[in-house]
Amino acid sequence: MLLHIPAILDADQVRSMRAALQAAPWADGRETVGAQGARVKRNLQLSEASPLRQELGAQVLAALARNPLYHAAVLPLRTLLPRFNRYEGGGHYGFHVDGAVMALPGGGQLRSDVSCTLFLCDPEDYEGGELVISDTYGEHEVKLPAGDLIIYPSSSLHQVQPVTRGERLAAFFWVQSLVRDERRRRLLLELDRSIQTLTHTGADPAAVLQLTGVYHNLLRDWSET
Ligand code: NI
């Protein structure tokens, strides 16, 4: 499931994040990938231990926590602290698949179920830089307004096209979902959206309550912690 979640950050948050990132020291993005990724990755990243990454990453997590659509779609169990990247001067990241299991800073591991990219520059500010996600329906090009998020399956092949003008700043991170199976997550999201609509359009409260029970009991059956 590819899902566009608009306005995770507002214009002020985007502006101040971008200003902080533009003044930051950047490192080679190949620091954080294995041999497969290193062959095709040409970009810059904030270093893993950078205090700015900690600070801005925490801001992104706080913004996600306030977003009901994000929660309904991802059902997050564990989230890796967001990283930040920068593409410019032809920078790109060829087709790759994200690592399946990642170490968490405090110990423990995260299975990557959902990959997330939060755009921090507006599409007209740079040329190229589309995130291309390949699935059974073909290739999807994604280039969103600053502050918007795309979520996509970590199992998919994807790439970032070369940025040939301007610069592309983004945050990216991975989530282990309570519900591993993508089709089940999509069913739960559709059910959640239907319940919201029925509630707001004044449907029979007893029927809505019953449907809400179905939602929670499916989530209980399908979730793993
Ligand atoms: Ni990736």
Side-chain angles (χ1 to χ4, degrees), residues 191 194-216:
L191 187 52
S194 299
I195 292 170
Q196 299 301 324
T197 305
L198 290 170
T199 303
H200 292 123
T201 52
D204 174 10
V208 173
L209 180 61
Q210 193 170 35
L211 212 47
T212 305
V214 171
Y215 175 88
H216 284 285

PDB file of all heavy atoms in Angstrom, residues 191 194-216:
ATOM      1  N   LEU A 191     -11.502  -0.161   7.128  1.00  0.00           N
ATOM      2  CA  LEU A 191     -12.543  -0.290   8.151  1.00  0.00           C
ATOM      3  C   LEU A 191     -12.560   0.943   9.060  1.00  0.00           C
ATOM      4  O   LEU A 191     -13.621   1.505   9.369  1.00  0.00           O
ATOM      5  CB  LEU A 191     -12.285  -1.567   8.954  1.00  0.00           C
ATOM      6  CG  LEU A 191     -13.324  -2.014   9.972  1.00  0.00           C
ATOM      7  CD1 LEU A 191     -14.717  -2.101   9.355  1.00  0.00           C
ATOM      8  CD2 LEU A 191     -12.937  -3.388  10.548  1.00  0.00           C
ATOM      9  N   SER A 194     -14.122   3.840   7.232  1.00  0.00           N
ATOM     10  CA  SER A 194     -15.581   3.688   7.141  1.00  0.00           C
ATOM     11  C   SER A 194     -16.244   4.043   8.468  1.00  0.00           C
ATOM     12  O   SER A 194     -17.272   4.736   8.487  1.00  0.00           O
ATOM     13  CB  SER A 194     -15.958   2.247   6.806  1.00  0.00           C
ATOM     14  OG  SER A 194     -15.430   1.887   5.590  1.00  0.00           O
ATOM     15  N   ILE A 195     -15.648   3.589   9.559  1.00  0.00           N
ATOM     16  CA  ILE A 195     -16.231   3.876  10.878  1.00  0.00           C
ATOM     17  C   ILE A 195     -16.225   5.385  11.137  1.00  0.00           C
ATOM     18  O   ILE A 195     -17.200   5.957  11.636  1.00  0.00           O
ATOM     19  CB  ILE A 195     -15.470   3.111  11.987  1.00  0.00           C
ATOM     20  CG1 ILE A 195     -15.715   1.609  11.834  1.00  0.00           C
ATOM     21  CG2 ILE A 195     -15.881   3.582  13.376  1.00  0.00           C
ATOM     22  CD1 ILE A 195     -14.827   0.723  12.709  1.00  0.00           C
ATOM     23  N   GLN A 196     -15.110   6.052  10.753  1.00  0.00           N
ATOM     24  CA  GLN A 196     -15.035   7.513  10.935  1.00  0.00           C
ATOM     25  C   GLN A 196     -16.156   8.200  10.140  1.00  0.00           C
ATOM     26  O   GLN A 196     -16.836   9.094  10.641  1.00  0.00           O
ATOM     27  CB  GLN A 196     -13.685   8.069  10.454  1.00  0.00           C
ATOM     28  CG  GLN A 196     -12.463   7.535  11.173  1.00  0.00           C
ATOM     29  CD  GLN A 196     -12.493   7.792  12.658  1.00  0.00           C
ATOM     30  OE1 GLN A 196     -12.971   8.839  13.106  1.00  0.00           O
ATOM     31  NE2 GLN A 196     -12.031   6.830  13.447  1.00  0.00           N
ATOM     32  N   THR A 197     -16.314   7.788   8.879  1.00  0.00           N
ATOM     33  CA  THR A 197     -17.332   8.409   8.028  1.00  0.00           C
ATOM     34  C   THR A 197     -18.736   8.172   8.592  1.00  0.00           C
ATOM     35  O   THR A 197     -19.557   9.095   8.662  1.00  0.00           O
ATOM     36  CB  THR A 197     -17.237   7.847   6.591  1.00  0.00           C
ATOM     37  OG1 THR A 197     -15.912   8.046   6.128  1.00  0.00           O
ATOM     38  CG2 THR A 197     -18.200   8.551   5.657  1.00  0.00           C
ATOM     39  N   LEU A 198     -19.010   6.927   8.978  1.00  0.00           N
ATOM     40  CA  LEU A 198     -20.334   6.613   9.527  1.00  0.00           C
ATOM     41  C   LEU A 198     -20.605   7.446  10.785  1.00  0.00           C
ATOM     42  O   LEU A 198     -21.708   7.971  10.970  1.00  0.00           O
ATOM     43  CB  LEU A 198     -20.426   5.118   9.854  1.00  0.00           C
ATOM     44  CG  LEU A 198     -20.455   4.190   8.628  1.00  0.00           C
ATOM     45  CD1 LEU A 198     -20.300   2.735   9.052  1.00  0.00           C
ATOM     46  CD2 LEU A 198     -21.745   4.387   7.835  1.00  0.00           C
ATOM     47  N   THR A 199     -19.585   7.578  11.621  1.00  0.00           N
ATOM     48  CA  THR A 199     -19.746   8.370  12.853  1.00  0.00           C
ATOM     49  C   THR A 199     -20.090   9.815  12.527  1.00  0.00           C
ATOM     50  O   THR A 199     -20.990  10.402  13.130  1.00  0.00           O
ATOM     51  CB  THR A 199     -18.435   8.310  13.680  1.00  0.00           C
ATOM     52  OG1 THR A 199     -18.135   6.942  13.932  1.00  0.00           O
ATOM     53  CG2 THR A 199     -18.582   9.045  15.007  1.00  0.00           C
ATOM     54  N   HIS A 200     -19.358  10.380  11.549  1.00  0.00           N
ATOM     55  CA  HIS A 200     -19.551  11.799  11.236  1.00  0.00           C
ATOM     56  C   HIS A 200     -20.806  12.075  10.424  1.00  0.00           C
ATOM     57  O   HIS A 200     -21.223  13.206  10.285  1.00  0.00           O
ATOM     58  CB  HIS A 200     -18.318  12.352  10.516  1.00  0.00           C
ATOM     59  CG  HIS A 200     -17.123  12.404  11.431  1.00  0.00           C
ATOM     60  ND1 HIS A 200     -15.934  11.766  11.138  1.00  0.00           N
ATOM     61  CD2 HIS A 200     -16.961  12.961  12.654  1.00  0.00           C
ATOM     62  CE1 HIS A 200     -15.085  11.939  12.143  1.00  0.00           C
ATOM     63  NE2 HIS A 200     -15.676  12.667  13.069  1.00  0.00           N
ATOM     64  N   THR A 201     -21.399  11.036   9.849  1.00  0.00           N
ATOM     65  CA  THR A 201     -22.612  11.267   9.055  1.00  0.00           C
ATOM     66  C   THR A 201     -23.864  10.792   9.795  1.00  0.00           C
ATOM     67  O   THR A 201     -24.930  10.637   9.193  1.00  0.00           O
ATOM     68  CB  THR A 201     -22.509  10.566   7.677  1.00  0.00           C
ATOM     69  OG1 THR A 201     -22.165   9.190   7.888  1.00  0.00           O
ATOM     70  CG2 THR A 201     -21.457  11.220   6.809  1.00  0.00           C
ATOM     71  N   GLY A 202     -23.702  10.538  11.096  1.00  0.00           N
ATOM     72  CA  GLY A 202     -24.869  10.272  11.928  1.00  0.00           C
ATOM     73  C   GLY A 202     -25.505   8.907  11.743  1.00  0.00           C
ATOM     74  O   GLY A 202     -26.723   8.752  11.884  1.00  0.00           O
ATOM     75  N   ALA A 203     -24.678   7.890  11.446  1.00  0.00           N
ATOM     76  CA  ALA A 203     -25.229   6.529  11.298  1.00  0.00           C
ATOM     77  C   ALA A 203     -25.715   6.002  12.654  1.00  0.00           C
ATOM     78  O   ALA A 203     -25.362   6.538  13.708  1.00  0.00           O
ATOM     79  CB  ALA A 203     -24.166   5.612  10.722  1.00  0.00           C
ATOM     80  N   ASP A 204     -26.514   4.957  12.604  1.00  0.00           N
ATOM     81  CA  ASP A 204     -27.046   4.302  13.809  1.00  0.00           C
ATOM     82  C   ASP A 204     -25.900   3.981  14.791  1.00  0.00           C
ATOM     83  O   ASP A 204     -25.021   3.176  14.474  1.00  0.00           O
ATOM     84  CB  ASP A 204     -27.764   3.015  13.365  1.00  0.00           C
ATOM     85  CG  ASP A 204     -28.229   2.190  14.559  1.00  0.00           C
ATOM     86  OD1 ASP A 204     -28.175   2.682  15.706  1.00  0.00           O
ATOM     87  OD2 ASP A 204     -28.646   1.036  14.333  1.00  0.00           O
ATOM     88  N   PRO A 205     -25.913   4.589  15.988  1.00  0.00           N
ATOM     89  CA  PRO A 205     -24.806   4.410  16.932  1.00  0.00           C
ATOM     90  C   PRO A 205     -24.568   2.946  17.325  1.00  0.00           C
ATOM     91  O   PRO A 205     -23.423   2.535  17.511  1.00  0.00           O
ATOM     92  CB  PRO A 205     -25.226   5.228  18.158  1.00  0.00           C
ATOM     93  CG  PRO A 205     -26.227   6.206  17.643  1.00  0.00           C
ATOM     94  CD  PRO A 205     -26.924   5.549  16.496  1.00  0.00           C
ATOM     95  N   ALA A 206     -25.622   2.159  17.420  1.00  0.00           N
ATOM     96  CA  ALA A 206     -25.437   0.763  17.815  1.00  0.00           C
ATOM     97  C   ALA A 206     -24.688  -0.007  16.727  1.00  0.00           C
ATOM     98  O   ALA A 206     -23.815  -0.841  17.016  1.00  0.00           O
ATOM     99  CB  ALA A 206     -26.795   0.112  18.076  1.00  0.00           C
ATOM    100  N   ALA A 207     -25.001   0.308  15.462  1.00  0.00           N
ATOM    101  CA  ALA A 207     -24.313  -0.366  14.357  1.00  0.00           C
ATOM    102  C   ALA A 207     -22.848   0.073  14.298  1.00  0.00           C
ATOM    103  O   ALA A 207     -21.946  -0.737  14.041  1.00  0.00           O
ATOM    104  CB  ALA A 207     -25.023  -0.061  13.040  1.00  0.00           C
ATOM    105  N   VAL A 208     -22.613   1.367  14.550  1.00  0.00           N
ATOM    106  CA  VAL A 208     -21.232   1.871  14.541  1.00  0.00           C
ATOM    107  C   VAL A 208     -20.436   1.216  15.669  1.00  0.00           C
ATOM    108  O   VAL A 208     -19.276   0.817  15.485  1.00  0.00           O
ATOM    109  CB  VAL A 208     -21.204   3.415  14.682  1.00  0.00           C
ATOM    110  CG1 VAL A 208     -19.765   3.913  14.839  1.00  0.00           C
ATOM    111  CG2 VAL A 208     -21.850   4.077  13.472  1.00  0.00           C
ATOM    112  N   LEU A 209     -21.078   1.063  16.815  1.00  0.00           N
ATOM    113  CA  LEU A 209     -20.408   0.432  17.956  1.00  0.00           C
ATOM    114  C   LEU A 209     -20.033  -1.011  17.626  1.00  0.00           C
ATOM    115  O   LEU A 209     -18.918  -1.462  17.919  1.00  0.00           O
ATOM    116  CB  LEU A 209     -21.330   0.487  19.178  1.00  0.00           C
ATOM    117  CG  LEU A 209     -20.782  -0.139  20.467  1.00  0.00           C
ATOM    118  CD1 LEU A 209     -19.508   0.578  20.915  1.00  0.00           C
ATOM    119  CD2 LEU A 209     -21.845  -0.081  21.566  1.00  0.00           C
ATOM    120  N   GLN A 210     -20.949  -1.709  16.963  1.00  0.00           N
ATOM    121  CA  GLN A 210     -20.669  -3.094  16.602  1.00  0.00           C
ATOM    122  C   GLN A 210     -19.488  -3.190  15.631  1.00  0.00           C
ATOM    123  O   GLN A 210     -18.593  -4.020  15.789  1.00  0.00           O
ATOM    124  CB  GLN A 210     -21.926  -3.693  15.964  1.00  0.00           C
ATOM    125  CG  GLN A 210     -21.872  -5.200  15.842  1.00  0.00           C
ATOM    126  CD  GLN A 210     -23.226  -5.770  15.433  1.00  0.00           C
ATOM    127  OE1 GLN A 210     -23.953  -5.140  14.661  1.00  0.00           O
ATOM    128  NE2 GLN A 210     -23.542  -6.937  15.950  1.00  0.00           N
ATOM    129  N   LEU A 211     -19.478  -2.276  14.667  1.00  0.00           N
ATOM    130  CA  LEU A 211     -18.387  -2.245  13.692  1.00  0.00           C
ATOM    131  C   LEU A 211     -17.060  -1.890  14.371  1.00  0.00           C
ATOM    132  O   LEU A 211     -15.998  -2.428  14.028  1.00  0.00           O
ATOM    133  CB  LEU A 211     -18.740  -1.211  12.617  1.00  0.00           C
ATOM    134  CG  LEU A 211     -18.259  -1.447  11.198  1.00  0.00           C
ATOM    135  CD1 LEU A 211     -18.522  -2.857  10.714  1.00  0.00           C
ATOM    136  CD2 LEU A 211     -18.907  -0.428  10.268  1.00  0.00           C
ATOM    137  N   THR A 212     -17.124  -0.978  15.346  1.00  0.00           N
ATOM    138  CA  THR A 212     -15.921  -0.604  16.096  1.00  0.00           C
ATOM    139  C   THR A 212     -15.392  -1.819  16.857  1.00  0.00           C
ATOM    140  O   THR A 212     -14.173  -2.041  16.938  1.00  0.00           O
ATOM    141  CB  THR A 212     -16.244   0.545  17.076  1.00  0.00           C
ATOM    142  OG1 THR A 212     -16.822   1.619  16.333  1.00  0.00           O
ATOM    143  CG2 THR A 212     -14.991   1.044  17.778  1.00  0.00           C
ATOM    144  N   GLY A 213     -16.303  -2.624  17.374  1.00  0.00           N
ATOM    145  CA  GLY A 213     -15.907  -3.861  18.046  1.00  0.00           C
ATOM    146  C   GLY A 213     -15.207  -4.810  17.086  1.00  0.00           C
ATOM    147  O   GLY A 213     -14.192  -5.425  17.419  1.00  0.00           O
ATOM    148  N   VAL A 214     -15.738  -4.903  15.868  1.00  0.00           N
ATOM    149  CA  VAL A 214     -15.115  -5.761  14.854  1.00  0.00           C
ATOM    150  C   VAL A 214     -13.690  -5.281  14.576  1.00  0.00           C
ATOM    151  O   VAL A 214     -12.741  -6.071  14.524  1.00  0.00           O
ATOM    152  CB  VAL A 214     -15.951  -5.765  13.549  1.00  0.00           C
ATOM    153  CG1 VAL A 214     -15.198  -6.470  12.421  1.00  0.00           C
ATOM    154  CG2 VAL A 214     -17.307  -6.429  13.779  1.00  0.00           C
ATOM    155  N   TYR A 215     -13.533  -3.961  14.430  1.00  0.00           N
ATOM    156  CA  TYR A 215     -12.195  -3.396  14.181  1.00  0.00           C
ATOM    157  C   TYR A 215     -11.219  -3.825  15.284  1.00  0.00           C
ATOM    158  O   TYR A 215     -10.134  -4.341  15.014  1.00  0.00           O
ATOM    159  CB  TYR A 215     -12.272  -1.862  14.096  1.00  0.00           C
ATOM    160  CG  TYR A 215     -10.910  -1.223  13.963  1.00  0.00           C
ATOM    161  CD1 TYR A 215     -10.335  -1.030  12.710  1.00  0.00           C
ATOM    162  CD2 TYR A 215     -10.170  -0.862  15.080  1.00  0.00           C
ATOM    163  CE1 TYR A 215      -9.080  -0.482  12.573  1.00  0.00           C
ATOM    164  CE2 TYR A 215      -8.901  -0.316  14.967  1.00  0.00           C
ATOM    165  CZ  TYR A 215      -8.361  -0.127  13.710  1.00  0.00           C
ATOM    166  OH  TYR A 215      -7.102   0.391  13.586  1.00  0.00           O
ATOM    167  N   HIS A 216     -11.621  -3.599  16.529  1.00  0.00           N
ATOM    168  CA  HIS A 216     -10.698  -3.882  17.632  1.00  0.00           C
ATOM    169  C   HIS A 216     -10.420  -5.373  17.786  1.00  0.00           C
ATOM    170  O   HIS A 216      -9.303  -5.766  18.123  1.00  0.00           O
ATOM    171  CB  HIS A 216     -11.219  -3.261  18.930  1.00  0.00           C
ATOM    172  CG  HIS A 216     -10.992  -1.785  18.955  1.00  0.00           C
ATOM    173  ND1 HIS A 216      -9.740  -1.238  19.172  1.00  0.00           N
ATOM    174  CD2 HIS A 216     -11.827  -0.748  18.728  1.00  0.00           C
ATOM    175  CE1 HIS A 216      -9.837   0.086  19.105  1.00  0.00           C
ATOM    176  NE2 HIS A 216     -11.090   0.410  18.831  1.00  0.00           N
TER     177      HIS A 216
END
